[in-house]
Amino acid sequence: MLVILAGVYSLIAGLAAPRAVDFATGGSSSAQSPARRGPGYGLGSGAVLCGVCASTAYTVGWRPELVLWLVVAWLLVVLACVDLAVRRLPDVITLPLAALVVAGLALASQLPRTGGSFGAAILGGALLAGSYFLLFLAVPDGIGFGDVKTALTTGAIAGWYGWHPFVVGALTAPLLGVGYVLVVRMRRAAQGAVAFAYGPFLALGAWVAVLVGAVR
């Protein structure tokens, strides 16, 4: 029943994703604006959310943090879509998302049957954001400051269930990013740097960490 409810929620929320993406991108008049790609875009968002939310509900179960994970999943999907559309992670999503995760995990840590540690989540967020900030300083053309702010959130999510899920989640994003670059280079015979949206990989890393941590 929990998985079914999460699936229904995700399909409904997915249909609202295009408007949220359009709002976050400032209502771009470009033909590439995600909200102007028709209902198929919303259905695609719903399908992605359905898989994420259903698998998360199945692994997390009746723990208090599940509600937060489902809301955050929608926001991360929207954020990933924005990054794919305009190659940036805007403050209008990243900052409220960070505040929501911190407040939500603080509340969940005080409730019965909670599955994680608020202290570990805060430390995980600080470590991952700090690592990306150093990368931003070293390679400003490779990492955007929006990635640093998003890493604060995804690091907190990954650290909630402990250090093993944190390490898995923290490594998932760069490894998949490197794999993507290699595939692009092989298919297009591209040379030098390959520009791509990194936000979706950060979101995926957080989701993998939740799945790994919840089943332990």
Side-chain angles (χ1 to χ4, degrees):
M1 178 61 69
L2 186 62
V3 174
I4 293 174
L5 290 175
V8 172
Y9 152 79
S10 62
L11 288 174
I12 296 173
L15 293 175
R19 290 189 178 275
V21 173
D22 200 33
F23 170 78
T25 55
S28 171
S29 60
S30 168
Q32 297 301 315
S33 179
R36 293 177 172 81
R37 292 177 186 173
Y41 187 83
L43 291 174
S45 302
V48 171
L49 266 176
C50 185
V52 171
C53 292
S55 59
T56 301
Y58 180 79
T59 54
V60 175
W62 295 97
R63 294 172 179 166
E65 65 266 24
L66 176 61
V67 175
L68 177 64
W69 294 156
L70 296 181
V71 176
V72 167
W74 183 77
L75 288 170
L76 284 176
V77 167
V78 170
L79 189 62
C81 290
V82 170
D83 200 13
L84 289 170
V86 296
R87 294 293 191 273
R88 61 184 175 88
L89 299 167
D91 290 347
V92 70
I93 298 180
T94 58
L95 298 183
L97 177 59
L100 173 65
V101 168
V102 171
L105 292 181
L107 176 61
S109 66
Q110 303 301 314
L111 298 176
R113 295 176 57 86
T114 188
S117 166
F118 180 67
I122 294 301
L123 188 54
L127 284 175
L128 194 62
S131 300
Y132 276 82
F133 181 67
L134 293 177
L135 285 174
F136 171 74
L137 294 177
V139 193
D141 293 334
I143 295 291
F145 198 64
D147 296 318
V148 177
K149 288 177 284 189
T150 303
L152 178 64
T153 298
T154 57
I157 295 171
W160 170 253
Y161 289 118
W163 292 115
H164 177 254
F166 172 78
V167 172
V168 172
L171 292 178
T172 295
L175 289 177
L176 290 179
V178 169
Y180 174 81
V181 170
L182 293 176
V183 170
V184 170
R185 284 182 173 176
M186 287 188 295
R187 293 187 62 182
R188 303 178 185 174
Q191 300 294 327
V194 176
F196 67 99
Y198 192 63
F201 296 106
L202 282 170
L204 184 58
W207 176 57
V208 170
V210 167
L211 295 184
V212 170
V215 298
R216 296 185 73 222

